[in-house]
Amino acid sequence: MKKLVYLLCSLALIFTACEKPEVGPEGSGDDPKDQPGKKGEFVLTSEAAETIDEAGGDITVRFTSTVDWAASLDVGTDVASLNIKSGSAEDNFVKVNVKPFAEKNASRIIKLTLKPDGLDDVIVTITQNGAFEPFFNVDVEKLSVPASGGEVSFTIETNTEFNYMTYDEFEEWAHFTIDGTSCKFTVDANPEFADREAYVKFTVPAFQVPVLDDEGKETGETEDKAFRIYLTQAGHAKQEWIAQIPEAIVSNATNYSFALYGVFPLLCNGSEVFMVNPATGEVGSEAIDFDGKQFVSIANDDAGNILFQIGGAYTEATTVVVMPVDGSESFALLKWPNPYYGYGLKKLTAKGDVTKQAVVTMFNGGAPDYSGVNACLYWNIGDGMAAWEQTTPGDDNTWVTKPTGNIPPAHLATYNCWDSYRCFFAPVGPRVSDGFVYNGYDSRYKFEYYNGSAWADILDTPYTWENGVNSFKSINWDGEDYSVAVGMSYFPVWSMPSDVWLMKGNGSTLEPLATLKYNALTNEGLDADQSIHAYKPGATDIALVLESNNNLSAYIVDGANKVLVKYTFSK
């Protein structure tokens, strides 16, 4: 019995020894491929986010892996490429070759996706930055606000440091503020007729420019580049329109003058008279019929009566006829045979009321070097009449009105004035004792006043050879005298503008308030070599009127630029 039990126990031990032993975690069989439920490992050992500059190059991405893997990029080979696209557990890196990036101040993202077998994807992000190039941009160059003032804004776009500077003289009326890159001017109302200008100056250290000396030569030093943003505020002067004079009128023109029939401007081209639309400047296609009469020039007096000049060439009788504003019968005001060798009497001007008390003037241009005479003639009109006298007793055809006087400035005794419309001579008021005013394209370019005994300079102009004042009119506006003059461009072929001067005073004194500029609408067909002779005639004239809203309107004809212009001045 004991023997049997012993045999059974021995057999049990044998079977126990033959069973497969249990393998623990650290047993000899630890390969994940041989472990049910285990997927392996993939660990990134380099950075998950890489950067590279615009030149590009190779980036090595390193990892450890117990499984096979694949790699891919989300961009084309023109941006980046891989040295290998797959590997085994023994392969532990991949290289990304990044191409050069030409775009400045920009970046692009390249995503590398690593796909280990049976495991989640691993993403590596590569950022490539383009070259840095500083920039400073503003969304406007010039700003404008009306005379009433207001706010106006602009925005800066930049990636670099900048500074800015304002000026006390501007801050008095154009208040500048900046918030980051948002800029604003807050502008007060402009009390003046003239436009005014302010600016803010930005300097950018990233941009260096040469320093220039007074002669414009580089000094060898540099400074921060400056950017100026200009603000223009309108004054109480406005160009309402500018219109081309029709070629049919220009082709027959020998002179230009303006007058007003009520509110309608009348344009005379030295022979015929045309109606002008006051709202647009459009000139009527047909001349007004005056029973075939032709007129050298036309003008208004202060009362609105219209004066028509007939004749005036050397030895030819000059007759001035008045069309009264009240509609009464027209009458002859002046008749005088011009004895002055030259270019004939023109620039008819009147101050006062020729039906009561007034002074009338005309100018005769001549070349003293060739026996010509520059004459500044004036007539005193009292009780609606000039002083008539009969040169041949008993002959009613010899009644004339001799000029009350001839008072050219002294320099005209030797200056060759090559026409009768490049200078003006005008009365200051309705009486001779009020004096006279003169200016012209005459080498002096000064406003001169005659006080009854002598001429005196009262105002310089900046002109030398390109412009000259050749027309002038004055008017009483709310109890004060104002004047408008035209500094005509004698070289419109070179796009030199003409100037309109608004001044306080009637010619005995003058205070400039505003200077406005206008150009020819076209210089087609002009030859620059013709210079001063590009357009004929080089005459201007002005008609002034107070509108129903108390604005002052100035109608201007400019023969050199072949345009009509209307300006409005408001208080």
Side-chain angles (χ1 to χ4, degrees):
M1 186 66 172
K2 291 180 179 179
K3 187 176 181 179
L4 178 59
V5 171
Y6 178 78
L7 289 173
L8 290 173
C9 290
S10 298
L11 185 62
L13 290 170
I14 293 171
F15 277 110
T16 300
C18 293
E19 288 181 6
K20 188 175 181 180
E22 185 176 341
V23 179
E26 296 180 359
S28 59
D30 58 356
D31 188 342
K33 295 180 180 179
D34 300 327
Q35 299 179 33
K38 294 290 184 177
K39 298 182 179 180
E41 290 182 333
F42 188 96
V43 179
L44 191 65
T45 59
S46 60
E47 298 294 331
E50 301 277 1
T51 59
I52 191 169
D53 63 20
E54 72 277 6
D58 289 335
I59 292 178
T60 301
V61 178
R62 298 185 181 277
F63 45 84
T64 62
S65 178
T66 61
V67 296
D68 295 341
W69 53 267
S72 64
L73 296 172
D74 67 342
V75 295
T77 55
D78 59 328
V79 175
S81 61
L82 294 167
N83 65 326
I84 55 173
K85 295 185 178 180
S86 61
S88 65
E90 287 77 22
D91 299 312
N92 61 4
F93 72 91
V94 64
K95 284 187 177 181
V96 182
N97 179 254
V98 181
K99 304 298 189 292
F101 184 36
E103 188 173 351
K104 295 180 175 61
N105 297 326
S107 62
R108 59 185 178 185
I109 303 297
I110 302 166
K111 287 186 178 181
L112 166 65
T113 302
L114 298 168
K115 298 177 177 289
D117 288 351
L119 298 174
D120 293 338
D121 292 352
V122 175
I123 304 297
V124 177
T125 301
I126 301 170
T127 301
Q128 185 177 22
N129 295 314
F132 175 76
E133 183 176 83
F135 66 84
F136 183 89
N137 298 320
V138 182
D139 58 359
V140 295
E141 293 182 1
K142 295 182 179 180
L143 303 165
S144 61
V145 292
S148 58
E151 294 183 353
V152 61
S153 302
F154 63 94
T155 302
I156 297 169
E157 294 182 350
T158 187
N159 63 353
T160 188
E161 174 189 356
F162 66 89
N163 303 299
Y164 72 93
M165 181 183 296
T166 58
Y167 300 85
D168 291 343
E169 60 188 290
F170 303 147
E171 283 287 340
E172 292 178 359
W173 58 273
H175 316 288
F176 181 76
T177 56
I178 183 169
D179 182 8
T181 58
S182 297
C183 307
K184 181 172 68 176
F185 278 108
T186 302
V187 185
D188 298 341
N190 186 357
E192 306 296 333
F193 288 102
D195 294 356
R196 57 185 179 180
E197 186 177 73
Y199 65 84
V200 58
K201 176 183 176 182
F202 296 93
T203 54
V204 183
F207 302 125
Q208 292 294 301
V209 295
V211 175
L212 306 180
D213 61 19
D214 293 339
E215 297 179 353
K217 298 178 181 179
E218 295 186 8
T219 63
E221 299 179 348
T222 63
E223 62 183 355
D224 298 349
K225 185 174 182 180
F227 298 81
R228 291 177 175 83
I229 306 302
Y230 288 88
L231 167 75
T232 300
Q233 184 178 23
H236 292 264
K238 178 184 178 183
Q239 184 186 105
E240 298 289 346
W241 46 253
I242 182 169
Q244 194 77 32
I245 303 175
E247 190 59 37
I249 296 175
V250 171
S251 61
N252 295 318
T254 58
N255 182 36
Y256 285 111
S257 54
F258 244 151
L260 289 162
Y261 178 67
V263 298
F264 291 96
L266 301 178
L267 172 65
C268 179
N269 68 347
S271 56
E272 298 179 303
V273 178
F274 301 83
M275 189 80 77
V276 178
N277 185 329
T280 64
E282 181 181 1
V283 183
S285 58
E286 298 293 332
I288 301 172
D289 185 9
F290 287 97
D291 294 330
K293 292 185 175 63
Q294 293 191 330
F295 306 107
V296 173
S297 63
I298 58 178
N300 289 111
D301 64 9
D302 293 332
N305 301 302
I306 306 176
L307 286 67
F308 296 85
Q309 177 191 347
I310 302 171
Y314 172 56
T315 71
E316 181 183 47
T318 300
T319 302
V320 176
V321 177
V322 176
M323 179 187 292
V325 68
D326 62 8
S328 58
E329 186 177 353
S330 299
F331 63 92
L333 180 69
L334 303 175
K335 184 179 180 182
W336 172 246
N338 180 14
Y340 302 108
Y341 182 63
Y343 295 95
L345 291 169
K346 294 182 176 68
K347 306 297 288 187
L348 175 66
T349 308
K351 289 295 293 180
D353 182 345
V354 295
T355 67
K356 298 174 183 177
Q357 174 63 47
V359 177
V360 177
T361 58
M362 283 186 271
F363 178 76
N364 184 88
D369 287 350
Y370 301 91
S371 302
V373 177
N374 293 309
C376 294
L377 305 180
Y378 66 92
W379 287 261
N380 179 60
I381 309 298
D383 297 325
M385 293 184 63
W388 288 84
E389 64 179 71
Q390 194 175 35
T391 56
T392 303
D395 186 350
D396 289 341
N397 293 321
T398 62
W399 286 97
V400 296
T401 52
K402 288 184 178 180
T404 307
N406 176 21
I407 50 170
H411 69 280
L412 290 185
T414 57
Y415 176 76
N416 292 325
C417 193
W418 297 109
D419 56 54
S420 294
Y421 36 75
R422 69 176 58 193
C423 305
F424 80 85
F425 167 68
V428 165
R431 291 174 174 78
V432 172
S433 59
D434 294 324
F436 301 87
V437 60
Y438 167 89
N439 202 338
Y441 187 81
D442 63 358
S443 77
R444 296 193 76 241
Y445 309 101
K446 299 177 184 292
F447 285 96
E448 301 178 55
Y449 170 64
Y450 184 80
N451 62 6
S453 59
W455 286 97
D457 297 340
I458 58 169
L459 181 65
D460 286 344
T461 70
Y463 305 135
T464 53
W465 55 270
E466 77 286 7
N467 289 59
V469 176
N470 59 13
S471 60
F472 174 96
K473 292 289 169 64
S474 64
I475 192 170
N476 187 276
W477 186 14
D478 288 342
E480 297 181 296
D481 290 323
Y482 289 83
S483 300
V484 176
V486 175
M488 192 196 75
S489 168
Y490 279 83
F491 298 87
V493 67
W494 294 334
S495 298
M496 291 184 177
S498 291
D499 298 330
V500 178
W501 293 57
L502 175 68
M503 296 172 285
K504 190 77 171 291
N506 59 8
S508 58
T509 61
L510 292 172
E511 175 191 351
L513 301 176
T515 303
L516 313 170
K517 295 182 181 296
Y518 63 89
N519 277 300
L521 292 177
T522 176
N523 53 16
E524 181 180 356
L526 290 182
D527 181 352
D529 293 335
Q530 292 178 340
S531 63
I532 196 172
H533 304 293
Y535 279 151
K536 285 290 187 180
T540 68
D541 197 22
I542 306 163
L544 301 179
V545 62
L546 290 176
E547 307 284 4
S548 58
N549 59 4
N550 200 41
N551 286 345
L552 171 62
S553 289
Y555 293 94
I556 296 165
V557 55
D558 185 324
N561 286 291
K562 295 199 293 189
V563 295
L564 306 176
V565 193
K566 180 182 180 182
Y567 283 95
T568 299
F569 306 95
S570 60
K571 290 187 175 180

